[in-house]
Amino acid sequence: MDLQKARDWTDFLLKSFAIAAIIASGLWAAFEFSATGRSDTNIQVLVSAESRSYTDTQSLLIIHVKPKNIGKVVVRPGEDGLLVTVRKIPGDAKDGIMRLDALPLLYSTDLLKRYLDGYEIEPGAEYDEILTIVVPKGSLYAVRAELDIGNEDEVDHTTIVRAEAADSMAK
């Protein structure tokens, strides 16, 4: 009878330790997940532009907007989507700091409006959204891409490009 009682106690203790180990490992995994930010969004947006001769007086401005998900979760952009704005930089600006957001707006669009089924950026994915605009040759432009990632948060990037007469590339 004492041997049976010892077996029962041993079985009870082993099962209790197994349950405690499962609970502890679950808590540890939850802590690691939240502490390392694996549930957070981590998005990067890069914008570049190039110009190509179009006519004698016009260039084709080709804008590349590249959202990249460097996080571990799928990202669904917010209501404002992926806004691209093109502003003309005047040729007669005075010396000093230039506020690009105060320049005359030439063009503005949400690149994600063309995706009727929605837009998702998978973890590790990088996309290249392209926008083309016909502009006068020789002009200078500030191109800004802004991705709404929800919760009143955004990621943006700006580049400057000149619409040259000959083919050129701006980065």
Side-chain angles (χ1 to χ4, degrees):
M1 191 69 161
D2 287 329
L3 187 57
Q4 182 63 35
K5 194 173 189 181
R7 280 187 205 165
D8 289 343
W9 272 104
T10 303
D11 186 50
F12 172 74
L13 289 173
L14 286 174
K15 288 181 181 176
S16 296
F17 284 132
I19 291 171
I22 290 170
I23 291 171
S25 64
L27 291 173
W28 178 255
F31 169 75
E32 281 292 309
F33 188 75
S34 64
T36 59
R38 291 186 182 157
S39 63
D40 297 340
T41 59
N42 198 355
I43 290 289
Q44 176 182 23
V45 173
L46 297 174
V47 63
S48 63
E50 58 186 295
S51 69
R52 299 280 188 248
S53 183
Y54 188 64
T55 67
D56 290 340
T57 60
Q58 296 174 313
S59 289
L60 188 62
L61 192 62
I62 305 164
I63 301 167
H64 295 267
V65 180
K66 296 182 178 185
K68 182 177 183 180
N69 186 348
I70 55 179
K72 303 287 184 193
V73 296
V74 173
V75 173
R76 291 170 190 84
E79 287 182 20
D80 292 337
L82 181 54
L83 184 65
V84 175
T85 56
V86 179
R87 297 179 182 275
K88 187 172 183 180
I89 298 175
D92 60 349
K94 296 181 181 177
D95 292 348
I97 295 174
M98 180 180 290
R99 287 193 43 219
L100 297 178
D101 60 334
L103 296 174
L105 182 64
L106 176 69
Y107 189 80
S108 178
T109 188
D110 177 5
L111 291 181
L112 303 186
K113 293 288 184 197
R114 57 184 157 187
Y115 296 100
L116 302 177
D117 294 335
Y119 192 86
E120 292 181 342
I121 308 171
E122 297 288 332
E126 179 178 6
Y127 303 114
D128 186 5
E129 303 298 335
I130 297 175
L131 177 67
T132 55
I133 304 172
V134 177
V135 295
K137 285 185 177 178
S139 298
L140 195 60
Y141 300 95
V143 181
R144 176 183 167 99
E146 182 179 314
L147 177 65
D148 177 14
I149 56 175
N151 297 328
E152 298 181 14
D153 215 359
E154 66 189 39
V155 179
D156 62 71
H157 186 240
T158 303
T159 191
I160 307 295
V161 63
R162 179 177 299 277
E164 296 288 349
D167 289 348
S168 67
M169 181 78 158
K171 292 186 181 190

